[in-house]
Amino acid sequence: QVQLAESGGGSVQAGGSLRLSCAASGASGYAGYDYRTFCLGWFRQIPGKEREAAAIIDSRFTAAYAESVKGRFAISRDNHKGTLYLQMDSLKPEDTAAYYCAATRSLCHLDSRGFNYWGQGTQVTVSS
């Protein structure tokens, strides 16, 4: 089992920046657990709406972004630390949401249905 824990959320004015982190931990002895092999992603959700992908990064460090965040958000990973990051710049009020990190060892796509490990989420609020 892989546990994920987000941090770094908060409130910011439009145009500001935030950096989210997601620390991974796994039970010792979990057969085949290797953080480096996971596809990792950041997703976000507004109450009453479906969870949507913001960005993903695969085991080869190839990243993909939703159109709504492209050019403003940057996803990165540090395999030595077992940590995933999301640098969010030029934030807009419509970026307000709960942000979740996720991991999968299956296909790496901008689709939450392919991810089977999830964190508890961290709230990001952008005011105008």
PDB file of all heavy atoms in Angstrom, residues 23-43:
ATOM      1  N   ALA A  23       4.067  13.933  -0.335  1.00  0.00           N
ATOM      2  CA  ALA A  23       5.053  12.974   0.141  1.00  0.00           C
ATOM      3  C   ALA A  23       4.464  11.583   0.121  1.00  0.00           C
ATOM      4  O   ALA A  23       3.343  11.358   0.576  1.00  0.00           O
ATOM      5  CB  ALA A  23       5.493  13.342   1.555  1.00  0.00           C
ATOM      6  N   ALA A  24       5.231  10.633  -0.403  1.00  0.00           N
ATOM      7  CA  ALA A  24       4.774   9.249  -0.498  1.00  0.00           C
ATOM      8  C   ALA A  24       5.488   8.386   0.531  1.00  0.00           C
ATOM      9  O   ALA A  24       6.659   8.591   0.831  1.00  0.00           O
ATOM     10  CB  ALA A  24       5.034   8.708  -1.895  1.00  0.00           C
ATOM     11  N   SER A  25       4.768   7.421   1.033  1.00  0.00           N
ATOM     12  CA  SER A  25       5.369   6.432   1.921  1.00  0.00           C
ATOM     13  C   SER A  25       4.695   5.103   1.658  1.00  0.00           C
ATOM     14  O   SER A  25       3.532   5.062   1.248  1.00  0.00           O
ATOM     15  CB  SER A  25       5.202   6.841   3.387  1.00  0.00           C
ATOM     16  OG  SER A  25       3.839   6.957   3.718  1.00  0.00           O
ATOM     17  N   GLY A  26       5.435   4.034   1.851  1.00  0.00           N
ATOM     18  CA  GLY A  26       4.861   2.724   1.600  1.00  0.00           C
ATOM     19  C   GLY A  26       5.241   1.772   2.692  1.00  0.00           C
ATOM     20  O   GLY A  26       6.257   1.916   3.346  1.00  0.00           O
ATOM     21  N   ALA A  27       4.422   0.801   2.892  1.00  0.00           N
ATOM     22  CA  ALA A  27       4.704  -0.184   3.919  1.00  0.00           C
ATOM     23  C   ALA A  27       5.965  -0.933   3.551  1.00  0.00           C
ATOM     24  O   ALA A  27       6.164  -1.333   2.412  1.00  0.00           O
ATOM     25  CB  ALA A  27       3.534  -1.149   4.042  1.00  0.00           C
ATOM     26  N   SER A  28       6.816  -1.095   4.514  1.00  0.00           N
ATOM     27  CA  SER A  28       8.065  -1.815   4.259  1.00  0.00           C
ATOM     28  C   SER A  28       7.714  -3.243   3.876  1.00  0.00           C
ATOM     29  O   SER A  28       6.801  -3.854   4.399  1.00  0.00           O
ATOM     30  CB  SER A  28       8.949  -1.799   5.503  1.00  0.00           C
ATOM     31  OG  SER A  28       8.288  -2.406   6.587  1.00  0.00           O
ATOM     32  N   GLY A  29       8.449  -3.734   2.932  1.00  0.00           N
ATOM     33  CA  GLY A  29       8.219  -5.102   2.492  1.00  0.00           C
ATOM     34  C   GLY A  29       7.156  -5.227   1.428  1.00  0.00           C
ATOM     35  O   GLY A  29       6.886  -6.329   0.963  1.00  0.00           O
ATOM     36  N   TYR A  30       6.566  -4.092   1.018  1.00  0.00           N
ATOM     37  CA  TYR A  30       5.559  -4.175  -0.044  1.00  0.00           C
ATOM     38  C   TYR A  30       6.254  -4.623  -1.316  1.00  0.00           C
ATOM     39  O   TYR A  30       7.110  -3.941  -1.834  1.00  0.00           O
ATOM     40  CB  TYR A  30       4.892  -2.812  -0.248  1.00  0.00           C
ATOM     41  CG  TYR A  30       3.929  -2.762  -1.404  1.00  0.00           C
ATOM     42  CD1 TYR A  30       2.721  -3.429  -1.364  1.00  0.00           C
ATOM     43  CD2 TYR A  30       4.236  -2.049  -2.556  1.00  0.00           C
ATOM     44  CE1 TYR A  30       1.841  -3.384  -2.426  1.00  0.00           C
ATOM     45  CE2 TYR A  30       3.368  -1.997  -3.626  1.00  0.00           C
ATOM     46  CZ  TYR A  30       2.158  -2.670  -3.560  1.00  0.00           C
ATOM     47  OH  TYR A  30       1.305  -2.629  -4.612  1.00  0.00           O
ATOM     48  N   ALA A  31       5.861  -5.781  -1.810  1.00  0.00           N
ATOM     49  CA  ALA A  31       6.521  -6.371  -2.959  1.00  0.00           C
ATOM     50  C   ALA A  31       6.370  -5.470  -4.175  1.00  0.00           C
ATOM     51  O   ALA A  31       5.278  -5.105  -4.556  1.00  0.00           O
ATOM     52  CB  ALA A  31       5.934  -7.745  -3.248  1.00  0.00           C
ATOM     53  N   GLY A  32       7.477  -5.111  -4.770  1.00  0.00           N
ATOM     54  CA  GLY A  32       7.423  -4.360  -6.010  1.00  0.00           C
ATOM     55  C   GLY A  32       7.257  -2.865  -5.828  1.00  0.00           C
ATOM     56  O   GLY A  32       7.188  -2.135  -6.803  1.00  0.00           O
ATOM     57  N   TYR A  33       7.180  -2.383  -4.577  1.00  0.00           N
ATOM     58  CA  TYR A  33       7.006  -0.939  -4.406  1.00  0.00           C
ATOM     59  C   TYR A  33       8.280  -0.226  -4.800  1.00  0.00           C
ATOM     60  O   TYR A  33       9.325  -0.430  -4.218  1.00  0.00           O
ATOM     61  CB  TYR A  33       6.660  -0.606  -2.953  1.00  0.00           C
ATOM     62  CG  TYR A  33       6.674   0.877  -2.661  1.00  0.00           C
ATOM     63  CD1 TYR A  33       5.749   1.716  -3.241  1.00  0.00           C
ATOM     64  CD2 TYR A  33       7.637   1.436  -1.826  1.00  0.00           C
ATOM     65  CE1 TYR A  33       5.766   3.081  -3.000  1.00  0.00           C
ATOM     66  CE2 TYR A  33       7.667   2.790  -1.576  1.00  0.00           C
ATOM     67  CZ  TYR A  33       6.725   3.617  -2.159  1.00  0.00           C
ATOM     68  OH  TYR A  33       6.756   4.959  -1.909  1.00  0.00           O
ATOM     69  N   ASP A  34       8.170   0.600  -5.801  1.00  0.00           N
ATOM     70  CA  ASP A  34       9.288   1.407  -6.245  1.00  0.00           C
ATOM     71  C   ASP A  34       8.703   2.716  -6.740  1.00  0.00           C
ATOM     72  O   ASP A  34       8.089   2.759  -7.811  1.00  0.00           O
ATOM     73  CB  ASP A  34      10.074   0.693  -7.344  1.00  0.00           C
ATOM     74  CG  ASP A  34      11.349   1.426  -7.713  1.00  0.00           C
ATOM     75  OD1 ASP A  34      11.461   2.628  -7.380  1.00  0.00           O
ATOM     76  OD2 ASP A  34      12.219   0.814  -8.332  1.00  0.00           O
ATOM     77  N   TYR A  35       8.911   3.736  -5.981  1.00  0.00           N
ATOM     78  CA  TYR A  35       8.318   5.037  -6.282  1.00  0.00           C
ATOM     79  C   TYR A  35       8.648   5.481  -7.697  1.00  0.00           C
ATOM     80  O   TYR A  35       7.821   6.109  -8.361  1.00  0.00           O
ATOM     81  CB  TYR A  35       8.822   6.047  -5.249  1.00  0.00           C
ATOM     82  CG  TYR A  35       8.268   7.430  -5.388  1.00  0.00           C
ATOM     83  CD1 TYR A  35       7.007   7.738  -4.874  1.00  0.00           C
ATOM     84  CD2 TYR A  35       8.993   8.436  -6.016  1.00  0.00           C
ATOM     85  CE1 TYR A  35       6.492   9.018  -4.986  1.00  0.00           C
ATOM     86  CE2 TYR A  35       8.487   9.709  -6.137  1.00  0.00           C
ATOM     87  CZ  TYR A  35       7.234  10.002  -5.611  1.00  0.00           C
ATOM     88  OH  TYR A  35       6.725  11.257  -5.735  1.00  0.00           O
ATOM     89  N   ARG A  36       9.842   5.148  -8.142  1.00  0.00           N
ATOM     90  CA  ARG A  36      10.287   5.637  -9.455  1.00  0.00           C
ATOM     91  C   ARG A  36       9.432   5.116 -10.607  1.00  0.00           C
ATOM     92  O   ARG A  36       9.393   5.711 -11.671  1.00  0.00           O
ATOM     93  CB  ARG A  36      11.751   5.223  -9.693  1.00  0.00           C
ATOM     94  CG  ARG A  36      12.741   5.851  -8.750  1.00  0.00           C
ATOM     95  CD  ARG A  36      14.105   5.214  -8.908  1.00  0.00           C
ATOM     96  NE  ARG A  36      14.084   3.804  -8.532  1.00  0.00           N
ATOM     97  CZ  ARG A  36      15.125   2.999  -8.634  1.00  0.00           C
ATOM     98  NH1 ARG A  36      16.262   3.444  -9.124  1.00  0.00           N
ATOM     99  NH2 ARG A  36      15.036   1.744  -8.267  1.00  0.00           N
ATOM    100  N   THR A  37       8.776   4.001 -10.407  1.00  0.00           N
ATOM    101  CA  THR A  37       8.010   3.402 -11.497  1.00  0.00           C
ATOM    102  C   THR A  37       6.580   3.943 -11.606  1.00  0.00           C
ATOM    103  O   THR A  37       5.888   3.663 -12.580  1.00  0.00           O
ATOM    104  CB  THR A  37       7.928   1.878 -11.337  1.00  0.00           C
ATOM    105  OG1 THR A  37       7.141   1.580 -10.176  1.00  0.00           O
ATOM    106  CG2 THR A  37       9.311   1.267 -11.190  1.00  0.00           C
ATOM    107  N   PHE A  38       6.165   4.726 -10.625  1.00  0.00           N
ATOM    108  CA  PHE A  38       4.790   5.206 -10.626  1.00  0.00           C
ATOM    109  C   PHE A  38       4.589   6.401 -11.551  1.00  0.00           C
ATOM    110  O   PHE A  38       5.463   7.264 -11.672  1.00  0.00           O
ATOM    111  CB  PHE A  38       4.363   5.618  -9.207  1.00  0.00           C
ATOM    112  CG  PHE A  38       3.985   4.465  -8.333  1.00  0.00           C
ATOM    113  CD1 PHE A  38       4.951   3.783  -7.619  1.00  0.00           C
ATOM    114  CD2 PHE A  38       2.673   4.066  -8.215  1.00  0.00           C
ATOM    115  CE1 PHE A  38       4.614   2.709  -6.806  1.00  0.00           C
ATOM    116  CE2 PHE A  38       2.319   3.001  -7.411  1.00  0.00           C
ATOM    117  CZ  PHE A  38       3.295   2.320  -6.712  1.00  0.00           C
ATOM    118  N   CYS A  39       3.443   6.439 -12.173  1.00  0.00           N
ATOM    119  CA  CYS A  39       2.941   7.656 -12.783  1.00  0.00           C
ATOM    120  C   CYS A  39       2.284   8.450 -11.651  1.00  0.00           C
ATOM    121  O   CYS A  39       1.513   7.887 -10.865  1.00  0.00           O
ATOM    122  CB  CYS A  39       1.920   7.344 -13.874  1.00  0.00           C
ATOM    123  SG  CYS A  39       1.003   8.782 -14.460  1.00  0.00           S
ATOM    124  N   LEU A  40       2.564   9.739 -11.582  1.00  0.00           N
ATOM    125  CA  LEU A  40       2.040  10.586 -10.515  1.00  0.00           C
ATOM    126  C   LEU A  40       1.243  11.738 -11.105  1.00  0.00           C
ATOM    127  O   LEU A  40       1.550  12.206 -12.212  1.00  0.00           O
ATOM    128  CB  LEU A  40       3.196  11.143  -9.685  1.00  0.00           C
ATOM    129  CG  LEU A  40       4.167  10.125  -9.098  1.00  0.00           C
ATOM    130  CD1 LEU A  40       5.372  10.831  -8.498  1.00  0.00           C
ATOM    131  CD2 LEU A  40       3.480   9.250  -8.067  1.00  0.00           C
ATOM    132  N   GLY A  41       0.267  12.190 -10.363  1.00  0.00           N
ATOM    133  CA  GLY A  41      -0.554  13.258 -10.907  1.00  0.00           C
ATOM    134  C   GLY A  41      -1.139  14.163  -9.845  1.00  0.00           C
ATOM    135  O   GLY A  41      -1.209  13.804  -8.659  1.00  0.00           O
ATOM    136  N   TRP A  42      -1.524  15.332 -10.280  1.00  0.00           N
ATOM    137  CA  TRP A  42      -2.285  16.282  -9.471  1.00  0.00           C
ATOM    138  C   TRP A  42      -3.658  16.455 -10.107  1.00  0.00           C
ATOM    139  O   TRP A  42      -3.773  16.682 -11.315  1.00  0.00           O
ATOM    140  CB  TRP A  42      -1.587  17.636  -9.401  1.00  0.00           C
ATOM    141  CG  TRP A  42      -0.379  17.657  -8.525  1.00  0.00           C
ATOM    142  CD1 TRP A  42       0.926  17.585  -8.923  1.00  0.00           C
ATOM    143  CD2 TRP A  42      -0.357  17.752  -7.099  1.00  0.00           C
ATOM    144  NE1 TRP A  42       1.752  17.615  -7.831  1.00  0.00           N
ATOM    145  CE2 TRP A  42       0.997  17.731  -6.701  1.00  0.00           C
ATOM    146  CE3 TRP A  42      -1.337  17.853  -6.112  1.00  0.00           C
ATOM    147  CZ2 TRP A  42       1.386  17.810  -5.363  1.00  0.00           C
ATOM    148  CZ3 TRP A  42      -0.951  17.937  -4.794  1.00  0.00           C
ATOM    149  CH2 TRP A  42       0.403  17.917  -4.428  1.00  0.00           C
ATOM    150  N   PHE A  43      -4.658  16.345  -9.258  1.00  0.00           N
ATOM    151  CA  PHE A  43      -6.040  16.509  -9.693  1.00  0.00           C
ATOM    152  C   PHE A  43      -6.696  17.540  -8.787  1.00  0.00           C
ATOM    153  O   PHE A  43      -6.215  17.815  -7.690  1.00  0.00           O
ATOM    154  CB  PHE A  43      -6.782  15.168  -9.596  1.00  0.00           C
ATOM    155  CG  PHE A  43      -6.221  14.123 -10.527  1.00  0.00           C
ATOM    156  CD1 PHE A  43      -5.072  13.422 -10.196  1.00  0.00           C
ATOM    157  CD2 PHE A  43      -6.834  13.863 -11.746  1.00  0.00           C
ATOM    158  CE1 PHE A  43      -4.537  12.468 -11.067  1.00  0.00           C
ATOM    159  CE2 PHE A  43      -6.313  12.916 -12.604  1.00  0.00           C
ATOM    160  CZ  PHE A  43      -5.166  12.229 -12.263  1.00  0.00           C
TER     161      PHE A  43
END
